């Protein structure tokens, strides 16, 4: 699946279950293992699990592949590996403590979220142009 299409599917799946503070980062220059990191917040164990399952179901439904999901047991920090994109879904205290944005956040990708007008395709990163 095309990277931007996969990114849009993941963001839509997170928004469907009301994920908070969704951020997307371009990691092509930081890691050869994946091209994007998506970080989102869930307010409870139940919501983080639901967010992860929503991502899994939507990616699979659109023809993508979810390689692995880690952290469903506790639901405090759930990682969904979608190959080119890794999704971190954390509860607020863990997100604040680990500050993943500091590790992966050097190059944010602008995306349109449901809260903005004209929800359509994810925006291009500077490298995509």
């Amino acid at each position: 699946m095309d990277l931007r299409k996969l990114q849009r599917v993941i963001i839509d799946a997170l928004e469907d279950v009301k994920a908070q503070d969704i951020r997307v980062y371009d990691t092509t220059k930081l890691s050869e293992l994946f091209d994007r990191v998506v970080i989102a917040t869930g307010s409870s164990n139940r919501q983080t699990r639901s967010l992860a399952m929503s991502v899994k179901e939507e990616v699979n439904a659109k023809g993508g592949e979810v390689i692995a999901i880690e952290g469903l047991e506790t639901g405090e920090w759930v990682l969904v590996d979608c190959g080119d994109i890794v999704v971190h879904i954390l509860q607020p205290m863990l997100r604040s403590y680990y500050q993943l944005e500091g590790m992966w956040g050097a190059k944010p990708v602008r995306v349109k979220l449901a809260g903005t007008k004209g929800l359509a395709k994810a925006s291009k990163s500077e490298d995509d142009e």
Side-chain angles (χ1 to χ4, degrees), residues 46-105:
R46 181 176 290 194
Q47 188 186 22
T48 58
R49 289 183 191 122
S50 294
L51 288 163
M53 295 312 293
S54 176
V55 169
K56 178 182 185 239
E57 291 167 4
E58 287 301 313
V59 168
N60 287 336
K62 302 292 185 189
E65 179 184 5
V66 173
I67 296 168
I69 299 177
E70 299 290 332
L72 283 175
E73 303 80 32
T74 63
E76 294 175 348
W77 179 350
V78 182
L79 183 138
V80 183
D81 183 351
C82 299
D84 289 335
I85 300 178
V86 175
V87 183
H88 295 272
I89 306 165
L90 300 97
Q91 289 187 20
M93 288 185 67
L94 286 176
R95 185 164 178 177
S96 174
Y97 180 78
Y98 285 105
Q99 293 291 313
L100 295 179
E101 288 87 349
M103 182 185 312
W104 301 113

Side-chain angles (χ1 to χ4, degrees), residues 4-17:
R4 278 189 272 180
K5 182 177 179 185
L6 178 60
Q7 178 177 293
R8 183 79 260 158
V9 168
I10 290 169
I11 291 168
D12 289 346
L14 291 169
E15 288 181 326
D16 285 347
V17 187

